[in-house]
């Protein structure tokens, strides 16, 4: 691997972009299912039964983690683009690990609430 591509900042930017692509692929299906619930009580009941499936809960957990990663690393990208150059990359590298940890904690909280 090229040395610059193993840099934490590059990996964070890659994570932000990949989470955005995965969200763009997943969200239309999620909204389609949620929109079907607007058709009436029977459709809503069918959707709620479907949403009780553990695989659906895991897919929603992945969605929550992707949203959190995309949001937090997106703040990093905005800060990177809107601030002055000197020494900014050093300070912004310190945002990567807390962003990943916060995303994992939000995902864990979602799992605890989803399966309780």
């Amino acid at each position: 691997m090229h040395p610059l591509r193993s840099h934490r900042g590059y990996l964070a930017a890659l994570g932000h972009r990949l989470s955005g692509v995965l969200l763009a692929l997943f969200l239309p299906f999620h909204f389609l299912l949620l929109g079907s619930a607007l058709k009436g009580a029977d459709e809503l009941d069918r959707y709620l039964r479907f949403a009780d499936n553990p695989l659906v809960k895991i897919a929603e957990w992945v969605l929550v983690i992707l949203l959190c990663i995309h949001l937090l690393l997106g703040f990093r990208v905005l800060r990177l683009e809107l601030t002055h150059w000197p020494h900014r990359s050093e300070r912004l590298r310190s945002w990567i690990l807390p962003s990943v940890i916060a995303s994992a904690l939000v995902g864990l909280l979602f799992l605890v609430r989803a399966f309780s």
Side-chain angles (χ1 to χ4, degrees):
M1 183 184 287
H2 192 276
L4 291 177
R5 291 189 176 160
S6 62
H7 189 268
R8 284 188 302 174
Y10 176 81
L11 296 176
L14 185 63
H16 178 255
R17 289 182 180 106
L18 287 176
S19 66
V21 168
L22 291 172
L23 284 170
L25 294 173
F26 185 78
L27 280 173
F29 296 110
H30 188 73
F31 291 140
L32 183 65
L33 285 174
L34 286 175
S36 70
L38 297 174
K39 295 179 182 174
D42 293 336
E43 288 289 325
L44 178 61
D45 287 339
R46 189 174 2 183
Y47 172 73
L48 291 175
R49 280 193 303 275
F50 177 72
D52 249 353
N53 185 340
L55 289 177
V56 173
K57 289 183 180 185
I58 290 172
E60 288 177 341
W61 169 69
V62 170
L63 176 67
V64 166
I65 288 180
L66 287 174
L67 281 168
C68 195
I69 287 174
H70 195 70
L71 174 73
L72 294 174
L73 291 179
F75 285 145
R76 181 187 170 274
V77 169
L78 283 175
R79 177 85 190 265
L80 188 64
E81 291 177 353
L82 299 175
T83 59
H84 195 273
W85 266 94
H87 310 294
R88 70 177 179 176
S89 63
E90 290 297 322
R91 283 180 284 166
L92 290 175
R93 264 191 240 132
S94 66
W95 288 30
I96 298 169
L97 184 61
S99 296
V100 171
I101 291 171
S103 299
L105 290 174
V106 168
L108 182 63
L109 178 65
F110 178 84
L111 273 181
V112 167
R113 302 247 340 173
F115 288 104
S116 62

